[in-house]
Amino acid sequence: MEIRAIGPGHPAVARLLDEHLQGMAQLSPPESIHALDHHALLQPDISFWSVWREESLMGCGALKRLDETHGEIKSMRTAAAFLRQGVAAFVLQHILDEAAQRGLRRLSLETGSMDGFAPAHRLYERFGFVRCPPFSDYHDDPNSLFFSRELP
């Protein structure tokens, strides 16, 4: 697996992000979907990475800087053909490492509360994330769970 700074403008990445947005729409009501579209992922406060094996896109993830010490994980997605092969853990570790190198002290994320998100919950907990109250501009929502962890 190789991390590349290939973003939403690449056709394969755009298709994976479309799949991500469609998946969120199948699991969550519209008012509870906080996934970013292609344009939003191009904002200067967001760094986006994709995971590749040769020419096959395996997954993606992004880091949004909320302030000088706090970042948010966004757009974590594994391509269907690569599920349960360690892609999500690989990109999550990359985001954690990048956040620490950039001087961030805390990483947080929002994800769905439904059963379909259980694998994501387990992944984040395995990496030391714990449930927390809503952060940044989020509000209490029965369809959302919030996780956070301190960085070294």
Side-chain angles (χ1 to χ4, degrees):
M1 283 185 268
E2 178 186 2
I3 295 282
R4 300 179 189 165
I6 298 175
H10 187 282
V13 175
R15 283 190 300 274
L16 182 61
L17 290 171
D18 287 342
E19 179 185 312
H20 179 60
L21 293 169
Q22 291 166 1
M24 297 302 102
Q26 291 172 348
L27 293 171
S28 302
E31 67 275 8
S32 297
I33 297 174
H34 303 287
L36 300 177
D37 64 21
H38 305 88
H39 178 73
L41 288 167
L42 296 173
Q43 299 307 306
D45 60 343
I46 296 178
S47 298
F48 183 92
W49 299 277
S50 46
V51 181
W52 298 79
R53 178 179 295 144
E54 296 174 7
E55 298 308 309
S56 297
L57 175 62
M58 302 176 79
C60 63
L63 171 62
K64 179 179 181 179
R65 182 180 282 273
L66 299 175
D67 62 35
E68 290 303 310
T69 62
H70 192 188
E72 180 181 4
I73 295 172
K74 299 295 291 182
S75 301
M76 289 275 299
R77 185 71 176 199
T78 299
F82 298 102
L83 289 171
R84 290 173 286 288
Q85 295 182 32
V87 176
F90 186 75
V91 73
L92 181 56
Q93 186 61 60
H94 179 77
I95 292 170
L96 286 165
D97 293 344
E98 282 286 328
Q101 285 181 344
R102 294 174 185 199
L104 298 179
R105 304 299 298 155
R106 173 175 288 284
L107 268 185
S108 300
L109 63 101
E110 179 276 337
T111 190
S113 63
M114 297 69 131
D115 290 344
F117 292 97
H121 302 163
R122 288 190 297 272
L123 172 72
Y124 296 127
E125 289 168 348
R126 196 169 81 234
F127 275 79
F129 286 84
V130 295
R131 290 190 190 181
C132 67
F135 60 93
S136 188
D137 296 330
Y138 293 106
H139 304 284
D140 280 323
D141 180 346
N143 299 301
S144 290
L145 293 178
F146 303 94
F147 290 84
S148 190
R149 76 163 266 192
E150 296 291 326
L151 297 175

